[in-house]
Amino acid sequence: MSDIFCPDCKKHTEVAFDHSAGDTVCTECGLVLEAHSVDETSEWRTFANESNDNDPVRVGGPSNPLLTDGGLSTVIAKPNGAHGDFLSSSLGRWQNRGSNPDRSLILAFRTIANMADRLGLVATIKDRANEIYKKVEDLKSIRGRNQDAILAACLYIACRQEDRPRTVKEICSVANGATKKEIGRAKEFIVKQLEVEMGQSMEMGTIHAGDFLRRFCSTLGMNNTAVKAAQEAVQRSEELDIRRSPISIAAAVIYMITQLSEDKKPLKGLKRLTHSVLFAYTFGEIIILTLGSTHSADISLATGVAEGTIRNSYKDLYPYAARLIPNSYAKEEDLKNLCTP
C-alpha cells in the first residue's frame, strides 16, 4: 500500500493495487484511481511446457524480413519424455515432410551466423551478409557452386562494406573447408552477378592498413605505446608510394616498431625465440639471420602474411623509417638499431 491523493476524499489516502485487473483503488471510498495500469515489475512466471524447465522466455525469435513468412512461422516441437503427446508427435512428423521454401535460407543464415560468431563480428555484419546471400540466391545462379565458399564470400563482402574488413585467411579459417582460391572466385562471381543485376558498380569499401593493425597488435601482445606508434606510422605510410597490400604494410610496420621497443621482445613467441638464440650461439655466424627469422615468424603467424612478404615490405619501408616512426617513440639515433634489409 502507498499514499495517493484521492479526489473524492480530498486528501491523501492509502490505496490498494489489484494486480489481476490492473486497478489502483482507494481503500477509504473505493474509487478506482487508475485502471488497466501496466505492471512494470519483474515477471517470475514461466511459460515452459515442462515443469522442470525454468526458462522464463515466453517469446520467439525476432522477425526476419528476408524470409517468406518473416521468420514467424509455427513449429511443432517434439514431445519430451516417454509419455509424449502422440498427436504432437504425429503433427511434427507431417510438418517436417511438408516443403519449406525457406529451409535452404535458414540453413545458410545459420552458417553465416556461426562463422561471424567465431570471428567475433557484430550483428550488422551478419545482417549484411544475409542480405547479400539472399540477393544472390534470388538470382538462381549459385546452383552447383561451392556453398561454403559462397557463404564465406558473402561474409567477406559484408565486412568490407561495413568498414570492418577481415583478411581472406581469417575468413578461410572458419569457412568449413573452403579454400582461399574458392572464396576468391566466389567473391568475384557474387560481385559480378550483383553488378549486372543493379546495373552499376558494387561498393566494396577501401581497405587501409590501419583497419587490421590494432587487431594484429593485440594478438601479438604489444603495449599501448607501441600500438600508438604503429598506428601513426601506418597513417604516414599512406602518403608514400608503397605498392604493397595494406595487410603487408601493417605487418611490416609492426616488424619495424617491435625492433625499436624498449623491452625488445614484445611478442608472445619468447620460448621459440630462446631456442633460436641457443641455435644461433652454436653457429655464431648466423646469429642475426636466425633472430630475424623467428621475429618475423611471430608476426607472420599473427597477421597471416608470409615471412618473405614481410621482409620485402619492410625493405620498401626501411628508407622512409625517419618519416614513419614518431619522434616521441624513437629518436633518429635509435633508428640505427633497425635491421638492414
Side-chain angles (χ1 to χ4, degrees), residues 1-17 24-33:
M1 291 187 179
S2 61
D3 292 341
I4 296 180
F5 182 81
C6 178
D8 281 4
C9 299
K10 307 296 183 182
K11 63 178 181 179
H12 283 80
T13 61
E14 290 187 352
V15 296
F17 297 99
T24 303
V25 183
C26 176
T27 57
E28 295 192 9
C29 65
L31 177 67
V32 178
L33 302 177

Side-chain angles (χ1 to χ4, degrees), residues 158-226:
C159 291
R160 291 277 301 269
Q161 292 184 342
E162 292 294 326
D163 295 328
R164 294 293 183 271
R166 291 295 188 273
T167 65
V168 179
K169 285 189 177 181
E170 289 177 298
I171 300 294
C172 184
S173 65
V174 298
N176 300 323
T179 63
K180 287 177 56 180
K181 183 179 293 186
E182 291 172 337
I183 295 174
R185 289 175 178 173
K187 189 261 292 185
E188 297 297 334
F189 170 78
I190 292 173
V191 171
K192 183 178 179 180
Q193 291 293 317
L194 295 182
E195 285 181 346
V196 172
E197 178 68 16
M198 295 184 300
Q200 60 183 8
S201 61
M202 185 176 180
E203 293 293 336
M204 289 282 290
T206 305
I207 296 180
H208 300 281
D211 297 332
F212 308 96
L213 188 71
R214 179 168 287 276
R215 189 166 70 255
F216 293 161
C217 293
S218 176
T219 303
L220 290 166
M222 296 171 60
N223 55 53
N224 292 332
T225 305

